[in-house]
Amino acid sequence: MSVGQTASGREALAIHYQAVRNLTEALAAGLSDADATVQSMPDASPAKWHLAHVTWFFETFVLRDHVPDYRLFDENYAYLFNSYYEAEGPRHARSLRGMLTRPSLADILAWRAHVDDAMNAALPRLASTARDLVTLGLHHEQQHQELLLTDILHAFSLNPLEPALFEAANALPAPVPGPLRWIEGARGLVEIGHDGSGFAFDCEGPRHPVWLTPHALANRPIINGEWMNFIADGGYADPRHWLSDGWAWVRDGGIEAPLYWRHENGGWTRFGHDGRRPVNPAAPVTHISLYEADAYASWANARLPTEAEWESAARTLAPLSGVQLDTAACPRPRACEHEGSHLAQMFGDVWEWTGSAYRPHPGFRAAPGAVGEYNGKFMSGQFVLKGGSCATPRGHVRASYRNFFYPHQRWQFTGLRLARDL
Amino acid sequence: MSVGQTASGREALAIHYQAVRNLTEALAAGLSDADATVQSMPDASPAKWHLAHVTWFFETFVLRDHVPDYRLFDENYAYLFNSYYEAEGPRHARSLRGMLTRPSLADILAWRAHVDDAMNAALPRLASTARDLVTLGLHHEQQHQELLLTDILHAFSLNPLEPALFEAANALPAPVPGPLRWIEGARGLVEIGHDGSGFAFDCEGPRHPVWLTPHALANRPIINGEWMNFIADGGYADPRHWLSDGWAWVRDGGIEAPLYWRHENGGWTRFGHDGRRPVNPAAPVTHISLYEADAYASWANARLPTEAEWESAARTLAPLSGVQLDTAACPRPRACEHEGSHLAQMFGDVWEWTGSAYRPHPGFRAAPGAVGEYNGKFMSGQFVLKGGSCATPRGHVRASYRNFFYPHQRWQFTGLRLARDL
Amino acid sequence: MSVGQTASGREALAIHYQAVRNLTEALAAGLSDADATVQSMPDASPAKWHLAHVTWFFETFVLRDHVPDYRLFDENYAYLFNSYYEAEGPRHARSLRGMLTRPSLADILAWRAHVDDAMNAALPRLASTARDLVTLGLHHEQQHQELLLTDILHAFSLNPLEPALFEAANALPAPVPGPLRWIEGARGLVEIGHDGSGFAFDCEGPRHPVWLTPHALANRPIINGEWMNFIADGGYADPRHWLSDGWAWVRDGGIEAPLYWRHENGGWTRFGHDGRRPVNPAAPVTHISLYEADAYASWANARLPTEAEWESAARTLAPLSGVQLDTAACPRPRACEHEGSHLAQMFGDVWEWTGSAYRPHPGFRAAPGAVGEYNGKFMSGQFVLKGGSCATPRGHVRASYRNFFYPHQRWQFTGLRLARDL
Amino acid sequence: MSVGQTASGREALAIHYQAVRNLTEALAAGLSDADATVQSMPDASPAKWHLAHVTWFFETFVLRDHVPDYRLFDENYAYLFNSYYEAEGPRHARSLRGMLTRPSLADILAWRAHVDDAMNAALPRLASTARDLVTLGLHHEQQHQELLLTDILHAFSLNPLEPALFEAANALPAPVPGPLRWIEGARGLVEIGHDGSGFAFDCEGPRHPVWLTPHALANRPIINGEWMNFIADGGYADPRHWLSDGWAWVRDGGIEAPLYWRHENGGWTRFGHDGRRPVNPAAPVTHISLYEADAYASWANARLPTEAEWESAARTLAPLSGVQLDTAACPRPRACEHEGSHLAQMFGDVWEWTGSAYRPHPGFRAAPGAVGEYNGKFMSGQFVLKGGSCATPRGHVRASYRNFFYPHQRWQFTGLRLARDL
């Protein structure tokens, strides 16, 4: 997965480095010191922590390990900003990340500048192994860009003032798309998984054959208007649609709608980065759990696609398409509003829950060393999501990309696309 | 999946009915009214509840629905002894099952006799649909036989007196088997899943192709002696071996050994149906969670088999073989002591954790009606186990059989067999 | 507090011993092995455990310590049936008492007979110190008689069948008493606390002066009819009446009525030892928490009496009066139905919550040795209740008697009497 | 309790108003926006919330209710910054106070300035009722000054960097005081409670007689050196010293020393507003729970004083004495280092746990209206503390002052003074 072996490759890496780092800071530009500090739940992290943790990655695995004479900016930061790398020693308890009022946001931005200076100086001279770690670190930082956006949205949602982080998109209202159409998928033996050309996370490979039985995928994700029908039809009140764990989750949590939805004055509103606004019936439904996605599919006499069905269908589509997070010039998740043809919106808009558990591909081996803790150890209890969302940095996602969350989690931009057997 | 269409088939069904019902009561014969009443944790149920619930199944789905003029033994019992069939109306809270001191054990045995009389009278006249429900009910009762044994073992383990339910097997000490040998599995396209001939639960089908990459399975399960090496090597103290959720489980629960093991006077003992005794190094390790199984495999530089690998290898083996639960004449789980050749102990001894999440086979459709709630709704968060255990009634299990538990659960007779890529 | 120094005193002690022991067994006579085993909440204990624990007290503190050559009935029982005496070594976890299906109820009754035989043989020869421990043990057993009754009631209340332990009293319906009247209490310096003559628990003394400001007590407890008015007036929905902790308790628990009350078919019913029956408007309200008692008093523009006010008023009243638990011939809590004159029902019927925290009287010193753990160590967070209830053995209670429970607890027969400042 | 009826009284009130408001802001001067926002536990509140809540009190109860044409600074603030006044309508959940990253610290300071301007304009014209509310509001704000200091200390203690809010006092090391001496207290009838002259909270009255039995108080609080002896003697490991609830608290929490103490390099350190430093053996022990105070007293063969004993002894002492929090020129809690004569350090240094539950004085009536929710509704489950601490604003405390906390709480500057019976 090595990149940048040539001079132009080195230059491209340096440019990419700067672009990613800039985008992260642009996303955080509207945050106050306090905004950047709080942690709204154990699943989420403070924005400041994201800004710091991704920097710790470069300082630790590139500068400390590969740049002679590099001096750590602050000896304490490794303890504070390691996430879960057991091999890197003890670390601050995850649930207490919100107590770190110091170092301040300004301190972290200064650290970022210090590391960026050292990285810029080092990049032209790094060996291939180190350059691969830089590339890994940039993809890692892109993941945290998305988490920064979804975590701050969750924190803001708990403030009764419901502040907006970004202004609303000035998009034209989208026309409500037509009824779902079914697109037949490949049958028989197909190959999925990353083939090793270009960057991929270790869990995306190896490439391997899978047998697909006859099936079809919906041409587009389920939209809010359809979800309102599910609600109106008593979808949240009928146990027959739900997985057993999902039904317990619905009752214990008093769940009646997607996260951030509220019924007021006879209609549904949702909270987003642009504040509270009416739900747009034409946009893909988002902020739903796997349980909700599965219940909807059951109600609709369909099912969720498997990862292999989804990936096989997506392989020839352009991963740069769709509504995704763009550069620092306009760093905000936009509404997801346009209808696609055939297999539309496979990339971007919303992460699509699949019916596949997040388990290793045949032949999977974790990367050696500390960075090998990256993916493999999370392979229990979670489901695979595919395709990226409006908060995924454009260029980050691939057909083989495997995102994963627990079935009850829904603070990401999660949605669903139906499948059915033929 | 209909059985018993002919006269001799009808007779066989009646004989099978009586044998299964008798075995259940034989298992409970050593229990006092109090033993049969208590519930040791929400995952477990009282023995009396098992005796009653399986009877409720026959009374509800066969006698009430298919036998004219049948009168319910007690109108209250449906509320008390429905497990989770939402379609059958409200029911007693699972966590309060241990509060049912009334009806007494004797009352439940009287109910059983009443239902058995009605069933024996009805069996010669039942239509095919109803006979299929009888067959389903008998397989259902066999599942609860195993649960009755593991649940009462758990309850007894919380009594400081550690009473024995059965006498110890008078088996000769087993020789410690030789080192693991690796048996290469099938490669390429294989078929797994039930083909529809003979009884199977809905989740076992349909039969479908799967592509297997080159791999080998161990010739036998991991044994206690090997597990002691894992402990001695610090296996429970090194996070590198563990799934992230598993490591949290180890630390939060202070886990240091399989369930029921205790270190005293320089050696390991375990609690079983025959009381507390020294751990037998030659017997398959049991009462381990998926997390422990996975950590052991990681420590041993191997992995868990997938369900397809396991099932493909087991397809030609005899499911009646191995140490399993036998008839009412000797109704107790025996020690699991003999070594096998080639692929030994695939059936019986211990349920083998696979690395496959419990999700539907391609094309799966739940059975219609209330009995359709049987399997499909549990398809999130659990892993598949294969092969049956020393507490599984002989004749109950098949290569396609899918048992499932959450990754932290270990009060069943659960063990592991290693696999590796070739 | 020594009793029985003379021959007739010795005889009286032996007779008292037998009467108390018999009553305990009479209370449990209607219980099955399973009934006697289950534990419905950590606050409660199994009936079998009560039967055993009070026996452990005599076996340990009298027979083991004062009778040469006495052999313990079973070495394991000390571990199982010590309640909380730290000085007596480790013990079975309180929350797991319901797992003791063995020893059986019959085993415990055999133990009781064994200890009774040894006690009867020893009583004529015991020294004064040991006789004092016997007396203490009998008062201790009387406390557990009441707990046995309230704990089994709680357990039965969790069984949807709501079984009755005793038949209903065949009492004539009581006339609804007239409106509350206020009886002025003593003013200025009074003495309360036990003066040392006759038996008392250590916490009842020493006798000491207290200054009472002008006040009056209600002539009788609040009755169910009045409580229904409180409910109908929105008493459970208005935070102004409630202590802050009480309001949190109401909301978190969804509390809307006394424990065991249910609204059905337009009226209130309650569950009792005689099963579920309509609430009797003339009987004292019971199964209320301190929070509810305090809220009622606040709603009624009154307050709870202090312990000193209550005890001062009760000093000249007969503690054997009122509805209390009587001998083994008719061992059941009866309905509490008759109205009294002046200060009626001070003893019996319901324990009356006072507004006084359970803290030591001035000069209190705990008794030495293990039995000194009896009372003093519970002196935080609890409130004093006075007067005994329909489930208190007649002869057990005194004006100086101090019962104590946490403010949220209400599974005892707890009620209230109003007081007000003059 | 009215003050300021004369012109000079009005002027004094205006001066007092400004002094209190200034001190609050001086205490918060070292806090960043993030420092002021986080909430470290449900018991604590963010510094920003304290700054805002005390301002809400003046804006609501004085400006809104008594100043015509006053316009609220922000309509949302009442919802955000009401603490627990049910009469004032719904409010933000206490446990979510730490999510209020907006309004910012600067916004709240602007609000404070706005309210101060309005108050300064209004003060000369306010009627007596309103002036009484101003006085109440100032005493209320002083309480929150202390809470602001203890809450931020708790938050900083959860940051591994353990930042210091203030520089250390430049005090000379205090000499270790001599052994405890016992000072005999008044006997017989004494009066305690506030007599109505000058300001007091409603719960401090009315004045009433209490009978004191012979007793003595220690001449000074227990000091750290003595506490280290308690630890070294196994005080935290011996259940005989502890209240039952306290022993459960010790075991469940793994408690081994006062809050903020740590054993490292062979000695004890503590965390304070001046960071982590060695424990000073001569200073009064602080940050202990009632459970710890009671266990120490039991270990020392003594007991805690009752509120009446303490108050009676303090009545003739000067409440302005001792180490307390001083004006804005030097706004920090200083170390508590000097020894006193006779009854030294009754005021200041540490809040002294009494053995008295926080219950109403005889004849207590809560103040009418919303401000009447101030004290009475907290009268269950808490204990009284007396005398103020190094973090109590000088001038705030009186002999009749009743502070109250739950027995497990210890993030305030809490200590103990021994008493014993004579």
Side-chain angles (χ1 to χ4, degrees), chain B residues 60-111:
Chain B
T60 303
F61 296 122
V62 179
L63 297 175
R64 182 197 67 180
D65 291 353
H66 294 278
V67 176
D69 301 328
Y70 177 77
R71 297 274 300 270
L72 295 180
F73 182 77
D74 188 311
E75 300 276 346
N76 291 309
Y77 286 7
Y79 181 83
L80 297 179
F81 300 118
N82 176 3
S83 53
Y84 51 70
Y85 296 82
E86 303 278 354
E88 287 293 321
R91 61 196 179 282
H92 190 50
R94 178 176 186 113
S95 61
L96 292 177
R97 286 179 185 166
M99 291 300 106
L100 299 177
T101 62
R102 323 253 179 122
S104 69
L105 176 55
D107 293 335
I108 297 303
L109 294 174
W111 182 27

Side-chain angles (χ1 to χ4, degrees), chain C residues 343-396:
Chain C
L343 273 173
Q345 295 163 290
M346 289 285 277
F347 291 102
D349 291 288
V350 290
W351 286 101
E352 300 183 13
W353 284 107
T354 73
S356 297
Y358 177 56
R359 291 289 300 156
H361 284 334
F364 166 74
R365 300 295 280 176
V371 297
E373 294 188 50
Y374 205 84
N375 285 301
K377 74 180 183 182
F378 299 108
M379 289 177 173
S380 66
Q382 311 204 40
F383 280 78
V384 174
L385 300 102
K386 303 290 278 191
S389 81
C390 57
T392 307
R394 196 178 304 278
H396 179 64

Side-chain angles (χ1 to χ4, degrees), chain D residues 272-317:
Chain D
H273 288 103
D274 53 355
R276 180 158 295 281
R277 295 174 184 277
V279 168
N280 176 353
V285 67
T286 191
H287 297 305
I288 56 168
S289 68
L290 177 281
Y291 296 134
E292 288 166 290
D294 187 86
Y296 184 94
S298 170
W299 171 79
N301 254 314
R303 61 170 173 82
L304 299 180
T306 65
E307 178 180 16
E309 289 165 349
W310 195 100
E311 184 170 335
S312 165
R315 187 153 288 274
T316 58
L317 303 178

Side-chain angles (χ1 to χ4, degrees), chain C residues 191-318:
Chain C
E191 289 210 323
I192 69 161
H194 196 262
D195 63 7
S197 62
F199 176 82
F201 290 108
D202 56 0
C203 65
E204 297 178 50
R207 192 155 180 81
H208 62 282
V210 175
W211 183 273
L212 297 186
T213 51
H215 68 278
L217 300 185
N219 67 318
R220 58 163 175 78
I222 293 300
I223 57 174
N224 289 323
E226 290 162 333
W227 199 270
M228 292 185 216
N229 292 339
F230 174 63
I231 296 176
D233 195 41
Y236 282 93
D238 187 340
R240 290 174 306 163
H241 308 318
W242 294 80
L243 288 162
S244 182
D245 288 352
W247 185 240
W249 172 82
V250 161
R251 282 178 307 169
D252 293 351
I255 307 293
E256 298 181 331
L259 187 63
Y260 304 140
W261 284 34
R262 191 188 299 151
H263 199 74
E264 45 190 10
N265 306 324
W268 287 103
T269 62
R270 60 55 174 169
F271 180 65
H273 288 103
D274 53 354
R276 181 158 295 282
R277 296 174 184 278
V279 168
N280 176 352
V285 68
T286 190
H287 296 306
I288 56 168
S289 67
L290 177 281
Y291 296 134
E292 288 166 289
D294 188 86
Y296 184 94
S298 170
W299 172 78
N301 253 313
R303 60 169 174 83
L304 299 180
T306 65
E307 178 180 16
E309 290 165 348
W310 195 99
E311 184 170 336
S312 165
R315 187 152 287 272
T316 58
L317 303 178

Side-chain angles (χ1 to χ4, degrees), chain B residues 3 9 37 50-51 60-61 65 67 84 87 106 121 147 237 239 255 386 392 410:
Chain B
V3 298
T37 297
H50 288 300
L51 291 164
T60 303
F61 296 122
D65 291 353
V67 176
Y84 51 70
L147 292 171
I255 307 292
K386 304 290 277 192
T392 307
R410 56 181 194 160

Side-chain angles (χ1 to χ4, degrees), chain D residues 27-154:
Chain D
L27 293 175
L31 300 180
S32 70
D33 185 28
D35 291 337
T37 296
V38 299
Q39 180 180 31
S40 61
M41 59 174 171
D43 286 345
S45 293
K48 192 168 68 184
W49 191 91
H50 288 299
L51 291 165
H53 167 67
V54 295
T55 302
W56 167 83
F57 189 100
F58 289 115
E59 187 175 65
T60 302
F61 296 121
V62 179
L63 297 174
R64 182 198 67 180
D65 290 354
H66 294 278
V67 176
D69 302 329
Y70 177 78
R71 297 275 299 272
L72 296 179
F73 183 77
D74 189 312
E75 298 277 345
N76 291 310
Y77 285 8
Y79 181 83
L80 297 179
F81 300 119
N82 177 2
S83 54
Y84 52 70
Y85 297 82
E86 303 278 354
E88 286 293 321
R91 60 196 180 282
H92 190 50
R94 178 175 186 114
S95 61
L96 292 178
R97 286 180 185 164
M99 290 301 106
L100 299 177
T101 61
R102 323 256 178 118
S104 70
L105 177 56
D107 293 334
I108 296 302
L109 293 174
W111 183 28
R112 289 181 65 93
H114 173 91
V115 165
D116 285 352
D117 287 349
M119 286 292 293
N120 286 329
L123 274 170
R125 295 188 306 270
L126 287 179
S128 164
T129 319
R131 284 200 308 275
D132 286 350
L133 286 165
V134 174
T135 299
L136 178 60
L138 292 173
H139 287 272
H140 172 248
E141 181 146 349
Q142 287 182 313
Q143 294 180 310
H144 282 276
Q145 287 168 348
E146 182 154 8
L147 292 171
L148 186 156
L149 286 168
T150 51
D151 289 355
I152 197 70
L153 181 62
H154 188 263

Side-chain angles (χ1 to χ4, degrees), chain A residues 30-35 37-40 48 76 79-80 92 96 98-103 155-156 158-161 163-165, chain D residues 30-35 37-40 48 76 79-80 92 96 98-103 155-156 158-161 163-165:
Chain A
L31 300 179
S32 70
D33 185 27
D35 292 337
T37 296
V38 300
Q39 179 180 32
S40 60
K48 193 168 66 184
N76 291 309
Y79 181 83
L80 297 179
H92 190 51
L96 292 177
M99 290 300 107
L100 300 177
T101 62
R102 323 252 178 122
F156 278 20
L158 298 180
N159 186 331
L161 304 181
L165 180 57
Chain D
L31 300 180
S32 70
D33 185 28
D35 291 337
T37 296
V38 299
Q39 180 180 31
S40 61
K48 192 168 68 184
N76 291 310
Y79 181 83
L80 297 179
H92 190 50
L96 292 178
M99 290 301 106
L100 299 177
T101 61
R102 323 256 178 118
F156 277 20
L158 297 180
N159 186 331
L161 304 181
L165 180 57

Side-chain angles (χ1 to χ4, degrees), chain D residues 176-183 218-223 226 339-340 342:
Chain D
V176 175
L180 280 190
R181 292 196 307 276
W182 295 99
I183 313 293
N219 67 317
R220 59 162 174 78
I222 294 300
I223 57 174
E226 290 162 333
E339 184 193 5
H342 301 300

